[in-house]
Amino acid sequence: MKKLISILSIVLFVGAISASAQCSGAAQGGPNASCDGCAVAPQSSEVKAYYFHATNRCVTCQAVEKVAKETIEENYKGKVTFESINREEDKDNPLVKKYKISGQTLLLVKGDEMVDLTSSAFMNARTKPEKFEQRLKSEIDELL
């Protein structure tokens, strides 16, 4: 069982890193900026949190959503919006295409600024939720 959990953790981590690299390049107009509107996102003062997930989810995936959603609702009601998106059921969602999402991903977005919290979220949401909550609040405070 421990071996299976370790393998799943590695797969999730690699997927998160891959999604992060794809999103960063597109959002910054880098060489991967091939999606419509990624390089020139409309300026917005609103901070949005997007959690992209699969249909079948492990306890860690569920913990990431729970901690992120609760932290945002308790600390930033009306200032930050949280949206959970099933990337498998909603394949045509423009956000999935815009950020080139291919795995579980947690993003904070403000205009053309983007912060990928996927690695931190998956490392801490289940075992050290207070550490993840602190990182999430710190990143949101910098964007506000």
Side-chain angles (χ1 to χ4, degrees), residues 88-126:
E88 292 177 336
E89 290 179 4
D90 197 3
K91 293 176 188 160
D92 294 328
N93 185 309
L95 295 171
V96 172
K97 292 179 181 181
K98 177 177 181 176
Y99 297 113
K100 297 183 179 182
I101 302 300
S102 61
Q104 282 69 298
T105 306
L106 178 63
L107 301 176
L108 293 177
V109 177
K110 179 182 179 184
D112 62 354
E113 291 181 74
M114 184 183 64
V115 179
D116 187 336
L117 291 172
T118 307
S119 295
S120 177
F122 277 87
M123 284 192 290
N124 298 301
R126 190 168 146 238

Coordinates of all heavy atoms in Angstrom, one line a residue, residues 88-126:
E88 N -12.0 16.5 -16.6 CA -12.4 15.4 -17.5 C -13.8 15.5 -18.0 O -14.0 15.3 -19.2 CB -12.2 14.1 -16.7 CG -10.8 13.7 -16.4 CD -10.7 12.4 -15.6 OE1 -11.6 12.0 -14.9 OE2 -9.6 11.8 -15.6
E89 N -14.7 16.0 -17.1 CA -16.1 16.1 -17.5 C -16.3 17.4 -18.3 O -17.2 17.5 -19.1 CB -17.0 16.2 -16.3 CG -17.1 14.8 -15.6 CD -18.0 14.8 -14.4 OE1 -18.6 15.9 -14.1 OE2 -18.1 13.8 -13.7
D90 N -15.4 18.4 -18.0 CA -15.6 19.7 -18.7 C -14.4 20.0 -19.6 O -13.7 21.0 -19.4 CB -15.7 20.8 -17.6 CG -16.3 22.1 -18.1 OD1 -16.6 22.2 -19.3 OD2 -16.4 23.1 -17.3
K91 N -14.1 19.1 -20.5 CA -12.9 19.2 -21.4 C -12.9 20.4 -22.2 O -11.9 20.9 -22.6 CB -12.8 18.0 -22.3 CG -12.5 16.7 -21.6 CD -12.6 15.5 -22.5 CE -12.4 14.2 -21.8 NZ -12.9 13.1 -22.5
D92 N -14.1 21.0 -22.5 CA -14.2 22.1 -23.4 C -14.2 23.4 -22.6 O -14.4 24.5 -23.2 CB -15.5 22.0 -24.2 CG -15.4 20.9 -25.2 OD1 -14.3 20.6 -25.7 OD2 -16.5 20.3 -25.5
N93 N -14.0 23.4 -21.3 CA -13.9 24.6 -20.5 C -12.8 25.4 -21.0 O -11.6 25.0 -21.2 CB -13.7 24.2 -19.0 CG -13.7 25.4 -18.1 OD1 -13.1 26.4 -18.4 ND2 -14.5 25.3 -17.1
P94 N -13.0 26.7 -21.3 CA -11.9 27.6 -21.9 C -10.8 27.7 -21.0 O -9.6 27.9 -21.4 CB -12.6 28.9 -22.1 CG -14.0 28.8 -21.5 CD -14.3 27.4 -21.2
L95 N -11.0 27.6 -19.7 CA -9.8 27.7 -18.7 C -8.9 26.5 -18.8 O -7.7 26.6 -18.7 CB -10.4 27.8 -17.3 CG -11.1 29.1 -17.0 CD1 -11.8 29.1 -15.6 CD2 -10.2 30.3 -17.1
V96 N -9.5 25.3 -19.0 CA -8.7 24.1 -19.2 C -7.8 24.3 -20.4 O -6.6 24.0 -20.4 CB -9.6 22.8 -19.4 CG1 -8.7 21.6 -19.7 CG2 -10.4 22.6 -18.1
K97 N -8.3 24.8 -21.5 CA -7.5 25.1 -22.7 C -6.5 26.2 -22.5 O -5.4 26.1 -22.9 CB -8.5 25.3 -23.9 CG -9.3 24.1 -24.3 CD -10.2 24.4 -25.4 CE -11.0 23.2 -25.7 NZ -11.9 23.4 -26.9
K98 N -7.0 27.3 -21.9 CA -6.2 28.5 -21.7 C -4.9 28.2 -20.9 O -3.8 28.6 -21.3 CB -6.9 29.6 -21.0 CG -6.1 30.8 -20.7 CD -7.0 31.9 -20.1 CE -6.1 33.1 -19.8 NZ -7.0 34.2 -19.3
Y99 N -5.0 27.4 -19.8 CA -3.9 27.1 -19.0 C -3.3 25.8 -19.3 O -2.4 25.3 -18.6 CB -4.3 27.2 -17.5 CG -4.7 28.6 -17.1 CD1 -6.0 28.9 -16.8 CD2 -3.8 29.7 -17.1 CE1 -6.4 30.2 -16.4 CE2 -4.2 30.9 -16.8 CZ -5.5 31.2 -16.5 OH -5.9 32.5 -16.1
K100 N -3.8 25.1 -20.4 CA -3.2 23.8 -20.8 C -3.1 22.8 -19.7 O -2.1 22.2 -19.4 CB -1.9 24.0 -21.5 CG -1.9 24.8 -22.7 CD -0.6 24.9 -23.4 CE -0.7 25.8 -24.7 NZ 0.5 25.9 -25.4
I101 N -4.3 22.6 -19.0 CA -4.3 21.8 -17.8 C -4.4 20.3 -18.3 O -5.2 19.9 -19.1 CB -5.6 22.1 -17.0 CG1 -5.5 23.6 -16.5 CG2 -5.7 21.2 -15.8 CD1 -4.3 24.0 -15.7
S102 N -3.5 19.5 -17.7 CA -3.5 18.1 -18.0 C -3.5 17.2 -16.8 O -3.5 16.0 -16.8 CB -2.2 17.7 -18.8 OG -1.1 18.0 -18.1
G103 N -3.5 17.8 -15.6 CA -3.5 17.1 -14.3 C -4.1 17.9 -13.2 O -4.5 19.1 -13.5
Q104 N -4.2 17.4 -12.1 CA -4.7 18.2 -10.9 C -3.8 19.4 -10.8 O -2.6 19.3 -10.7 CB -4.6 17.4 -9.6 CG -5.8 16.4 -9.5 CD -5.7 15.2 -10.5 OE1 -5.7 15.4 -11.7 NE2 -5.6 14.0 -10.0
T105 N -4.5 20.6 -10.7 CA -3.7 21.9 -10.7 C -4.5 22.9 -9.8 O -5.7 23.0 -9.9 CB -3.6 22.4 -12.1 OG1 -3.0 21.4 -12.9 CG2 -2.7 23.7 -12.1
L106 N -3.8 23.6 -9.0 CA -4.3 24.7 -8.2 C -3.6 26.0 -8.6 O -2.4 26.1 -8.5 CB -4.2 24.5 -6.7 CG -4.7 25.6 -5.8 CD1 -6.2 25.8 -6.0 CD2 -4.4 25.3 -4.4
L107 N -4.4 26.9 -9.2 CA -3.8 28.2 -9.7 C -4.5 29.4 -9.0 O -5.7 29.4 -8.7 CB -4.1 28.4 -11.2 CG -3.5 27.3 -12.1 CD1 -3.9 27.6 -13.5 CD2 -2.0 27.3 -12.0
L108 N -3.7 30.4 -8.7 CA -4.2 31.7 -8.3 C -4.0 32.6 -9.5 O -2.9 32.7 -10.1 CB -3.5 32.3 -7.1 CG -3.7 31.6 -5.8 CD1 -2.8 32.2 -4.7 CD2 -5.2 31.5 -5.4
V109 N -5.0 33.4 -9.9 CA -4.9 34.2 -11.1 C -5.4 35.6 -10.8 O -6.5 35.8 -10.2 CB -5.7 33.6 -12.3 CG1 -5.6 34.5 -13.5 CG2 -5.2 32.2 -12.6
K110 N -4.6 36.6 -11.2 CA -5.1 38.0 -11.2 C -4.6 38.7 -12.5 O -3.4 38.9 -12.6 CB -4.5 38.7 -10.0 CG -4.9 40.2 -9.9 CD -4.3 40.9 -8.7 CE -4.7 42.3 -8.7 NZ -4.0 43.0 -7.6
G111 N -5.5 38.9 -13.4 CA -5.1 39.5 -14.6 C -4.2 38.6 -15.4 O -4.5 37.4 -15.6
D112 N -3.0 39.1 -15.7 CA -2.0 38.2 -16.4 C -1.0 37.6 -15.4 O -0.1 36.9 -15.8 CB -1.3 39.0 -17.5 CG -0.5 40.1 -17.0 OD1 -0.6 40.5 -15.8 OD2 0.2 40.8 -17.8
E113 N -1.2 37.8 -14.1 CA -0.3 37.2 -13.1 C -0.9 35.8 -12.7 O -2.1 35.7 -12.6 CB -0.3 38.0 -11.8 CG 0.5 39.3 -12.0 CD 0.5 40.0 -10.6 OE1 1.3 39.6 -9.7 OE2 -0.2 41.0 -10.5
M114 N -0.1 34.8 -12.6 CA -0.5 33.5 -12.2 C 0.4 32.9 -11.2 O 1.7 33.0 -11.4 CB -0.7 32.6 -13.4 CG -1.2 31.2 -13.1 SD -1.3 30.2 -14.6 CE 0.5 30.0 -14.9
V115 N -0.1 32.2 -10.2 CA 0.7 31.5 -9.2 C 0.2 30.1 -9.2 O -0.9 29.8 -8.9 CB 0.6 32.1 -7.8 CG1 1.4 31.4 -6.8 CG2 1.0 33.6 -7.8
D116 N 1.1 29.1 -9.4 CA 0.8 27.7 -9.4 C 1.2 27.2 -8.0 O 2.3 27.1 -7.6 CB 1.6 27.0 -10.5 CG 1.2 25.5 -10.6 OD1 0.6 25.0 -9.7 OD2 1.4 25.0 -11.7
L117 N 0.2 26.8 -7.3 CA 0.3 26.3 -5.9 C 0.2 24.7 -5.8 O 0.1 24.2 -4.8 CB -0.7 26.9 -4.9 CG -0.4 28.4 -4.7 CD1 -1.6 29.0 -3.9 CD2 0.9 28.6 -3.9
T118 N 0.2 24.1 -7.0 CA -0.1 22.7 -7.0 C 0.9 21.8 -6.1 O 0.4 21.0 -5.3 CB 0.0 22.2 -8.5 OG1 -0.9 23.0 -9.3 CG2 -0.5 20.7 -8.6
S119 N 2.2 22.0 -6.3 CA 3.1 21.2 -5.5 C 3.0 21.4 -4.0 O 2.9 20.5 -3.3 CB 4.6 21.6 -6.0 OG 4.8 21.2 -7.3
S120 N 2.9 22.7 -3.6 CA 2.7 23.0 -2.2 C 1.4 22.4 -1.7 O 1.4 21.8 -0.6 CB 2.7 24.5 -2.0 OG 2.5 24.8 -0.6
A121 N 0.4 22.5 -2.5 CA -0.9 22.0 -2.0 C -0.9 20.5 -1.8 O -1.4 20.0 -0.8 CB -2.0 22.4 -3.1
F122 N -0.4 19.8 -2.8 CA -0.3 18.3 -2.7 C 0.7 17.8 -1.7 O 0.5 16.7 -1.1 CB -0.1 17.7 -4.1 CG -1.4 17.6 -4.9 CD1 -1.8 18.6 -5.7 CD2 -2.2 16.5 -4.8 CE1 -3.0 18.6 -6.3 CE2 -3.4 16.4 -5.5 CZ -3.8 17.4 -6.3
M123 N 1.7 18.5 -1.4 CA 2.6 18.1 -0.3 C 2.1 18.3 1.1 O 2.4 17.6 2.0 CB 3.9 18.9 -0.5 CG 4.8 18.4 -1.6 SD 6.5 19.0 -1.6 CE 6.2 20.7 -2.0
N124 N 1.2 19.3 1.2 CA 0.8 19.7 2.6 C -0.7 19.6 2.9 O -1.0 19.5 4.1 CB 1.2 21.1 2.8 CG 2.7 21.2 2.8 OD1 3.5 20.6 3.5 ND2 3.2 22.1 1.9
A125 N -1.6 19.7 2.0 CA -3.0 19.8 2.3 C -3.6 18.7 3.2 O -4.4 19.0 4.1 CB -3.9 19.8 1.0
R126 N -3.1 17.5 3.1 CA -3.6 16.4 3.9 C -2.9 16.2 5.2 O -3.4 16.0 6.2 CB -3.6 15.1 3.1 CG -4.3 14.0 3.7 CD -4.5 12.8 2.8 NE -4.5 11.6 3.6 CZ -3.6 10.7 3.4 NH1 -2.8 10.7 2.4 NH2 -3.6 9.6 4.2

